[in-house]
Amino acid sequence: MSSDFTAPLGELDPELAGLIDAELDRQRHCLDCIASENFVPAALMQVHGSVLTNKYADGYPGRRDYDGCEVIDEVERLAIARAKALFGAEHANVQPYSGSNANFAVLRALCEPGDTVLGWDFTHGGHPTHYDADTLTGRFYDGIAYHVRRSDRLVDVDEAAELASRHHPKVIFVGWSCYPRTVDYAAFREIADRVGAYLVADMAHVAGIVAAKAHPNPVPLADVCTFTTHKTLGGSRGGAILCRAGLAERIDAAVYPGSQGGPLPHVFGAHALAFHLAKRPEFAERIAQTLSGARTLARVLAEAEVATRCQVVTGGTENHQVILDVSPSGMDGAAALERLEAIAINANAMPLAYDAVPGPIGSGIRLGTAALATRGFDDDAFAELGGLIAAALGREGPSEAVQGQAAQLAASFPLYSALA
Ligand code: DSN
């Protein structure tokens, strides 16, 4: 083998190595409040960077299109068994490249082109792949959407029931990207049963919380569940599908060969580790801190509402998300985000239901606590974070003093110390 196969990255490609170092530095210096992000354990990066990446393995354990898959079969069987045990599912598919791919595969398995699909409106917290015209879902199926109520910003189950009765969808999605509350999965099950629809729960954001038994588990109620592995679950980036045994063959065929090519064994290997870690007490503690951190953050930001003129949507949180409506302050989401960026706090702007500012940016700032809980934040640190966010969004703005305090807070929680 040439030295290209043994030389360290820094020697072989200093430009790329420099960029990876810069990203590590950025992650260490920023306070990551992006609700869909997390930090993976060092061992997970080891799996991700392992020889598993070398293997083509189209197909499923015991029935592959390539030779030499006997070890990969075991890795995938391990990931499947652990996913089933973690969530109490009858069947698991760990091959989807992402949550969106998982959702598209589920629709391919359950629907014919032209069928109606009912999902949760994106600007009201849902996900575009559940119904939206801009996605493959809207291209192949007739997507319609339910909303949150204007009065309390909680999901309008009555509207979902009414739309289901009127349009007879083949699939009803329940799941969200930007919503700080839990939903009544049983009510959606009832709606699905009444109209003969499949119920698909997309638990991408809350999979880790479900795994830690700190959020209702939709698996016993839904026909199919999809999730991503990298949000509250804290694993490698990717997607997965859980379903009843009776749908297993259709789901598997819809993933491969239905909508994807060869799987990524280094990724489902990393999923196997993430599912293993999610059963441990340390993970449950981390999730408990994620939730308590979100409640602390919501409380501090609600207490600061008069000063910031930014409102905590629904007045609090039952998961890892805190949503702020910045419109009463006169800012839009982009302007508020800029202030947070100036003190090295990362979040993202989202449109809100009944938004005062129309358009793709809107008035919402979505904050999440999973990444910082993984980093070691306790309630005191989350309270300090809330104070810094309030200061940056309020009259003081992102002053040098606030910037310095945020930098100090980040420095108090070292990240990946063992990496150079
Ligand atoms: N992009 C994900 C999120 O940030 O919630 C959803 O797909």
Side-chain angles (χ1 to χ4, degrees):
M1 269 189 177
S2 82
S3 61
D4 278 5
F5 285 88
T6 50
L9 179 66
E11 240 172 62
L12 208 53
D13 190 343
E15 192 179 358
L16 178 60
L19 290 174
I20 293 172
D21 286 346
E23 175 57 15
L24 173 61
D25 194 51
R26 189 199 66 76
Q27 291 185 15
R28 283 174 171 157
H29 288 94
C30 286
L31 292 166
D32 186 354
C33 296
I34 293 176
S36 45
E37 293 188 358
N38 213 324
F39 298 110
V40 299
L44 196 140
M45 288 194 261
Q46 207 181 331
V47 180
H48 219 271
S50 72
V51 293
L52 297 179
T53 196
N54 291 332
K55 198 69 195 92
Y56 248 114
D58 300 31
Y60 290 99
R63 46 196 171 98
R64 306 278 190 190
D65 299 345
Y66 294 83
D67 277 347
C69 287
E70 55 278 7
V71 177
I72 298 299
D73 279 1
E74 289 312 306
V75 175
E76 187 167 358
R77 284 194 182 106
L78 194 60
I80 290 169
R82 288 177 175 176
K84 285 164 61 179
L86 187 62
F87 295 105
E90 292 175 2
H91 180 72
N93 186 306
V94 295
Q95 294 193 6
Y97 301 150
S98 72
S100 295
N101 287 56
N103 288 337
F104 296 140
V106 168
L107 290 173
R108 189 180 159 124
L110 303 181
C111 296
E112 293 300 323
D115 281 345
T116 299
V117 176
L118 176 62
W120 182 326
D121 189 286
F122 167 66
T123 59
H124 287 228
H127 198 266
T129 55
H130 298 173
Y131 70 96
D132 195 81
D134 288 344
T135 71
L136 280 180
T137 303
R139 177 80 176 76
F140 291 108
Y141 311 103
D142 186 12
I144 50 174
Y146 53 90
H147 303 89
V148 297
R149 293 186 294 242
R150 188 181 278 277
S151 56
D152 55 10
R153 303 299 199 259
L154 298 182
V155 65
D156 192 342
V157 180
D158 294 337
E159 187 203 14
E162 198 273 316
L163 287 171
S165 299
R166 194 147 33 107
H167 296 278
H168 288 276
K170 191 79 171 283
V171 162
I172 299 175
F173 271 102
V174 58
W176 60 91
S177 287
C178 184
Y179 188 67
R181 298 288 169 180
T182 53
V183 299
D184 183 355
Y185 291 117
F188 278 87
R189 176 73 267 169
E190 263 181 52
I191 297 171
D193 284 344
R194 213 176 306 139
V195 300
Y198 290 106
L199 181 65
V200 179
D202 181 340
M203 56 173 189
H205 266 272
V206 291
I209 313 177
V210 171
K213 300 189 179 1
H215 184 280
N217 184 356
V219 170
L221 288 166
D223 298 291
V224 181
C225 287
T226 59
F227 63 101
T228 46
T229 40
H230 49 273
K231 296 186 173 96
T232 50
L233 196 56
S236 178
R237 311 193 74 77
I241 303 173
L242 307 169
C243 67
R244 301 194 192 291
L247 292 172
E249 257 180 56
R250 279 157 73 181
I251 291 290
D252 284 354
V255 174
Y256 176 82
S259 57
Q260 288 191 176
L264 311 173
H266 58 301
V267 175
F268 62 61
H271 293 346
L273 176 61
F275 300 148
H276 174 63
L277 295 177
K279 284 196 90 85
R280 290 156 73 100
E282 195 181 302
F283 182 81
E285 282 164 25
R286 211 167 91 194
I287 291 295
Q289 184 57 71
T290 299
L291 297 176
S292 139
R295 287 192 297 271
T296 301
L297 189 59
R299 177 182 52 75
V300 171
L301 291 171
E303 284 166 4
E305 270 181 20
V306 174
T308 59
R309 291 179 297 146
C310 296
Q311 283 168 358
V312 174
V313 174
T314 77
T317 179
E318 293 167 337
N319 57 35
H320 61 299
Q321 297 186 3
V322 179
I323 319 291
L324 277 184
D325 179 356
V326 302
S327 61
S329 72
M331 286 185 285
D332 64 7
L337 203 60
E338 221 170 277
R339 288 189 181 210
L340 297 184
E341 273 171 357
I343 60 166
I345 289 178
N346 291 154
N348 68 306
M350 303 284 277
L352 293 176
Y354 313 106
D355 208 318
V357 177
I361 295 293
S363 306
I365 291 289
R366 186 184 66 164
L367 300 159
T369 52
L372 291 178
T374 300
R375 193 165 170 172
F377 268 46
D378 55 16
D379 283 336
D380 289 343
F382 278 114
E384 192 178 337
L385 175 75
L388 294 170
I389 293 171
L393 296 180
R395 197 162 297 158
E396 182 172 0
S399 65
E400 262 180 44
V402 180
Q403 276 173 34
Q405 285 162 23
Q408 214 166 6
L409 184 60
S412 319
F413 292 88
L415 182 67
Y416 296 127
S417 305
L419 296 179

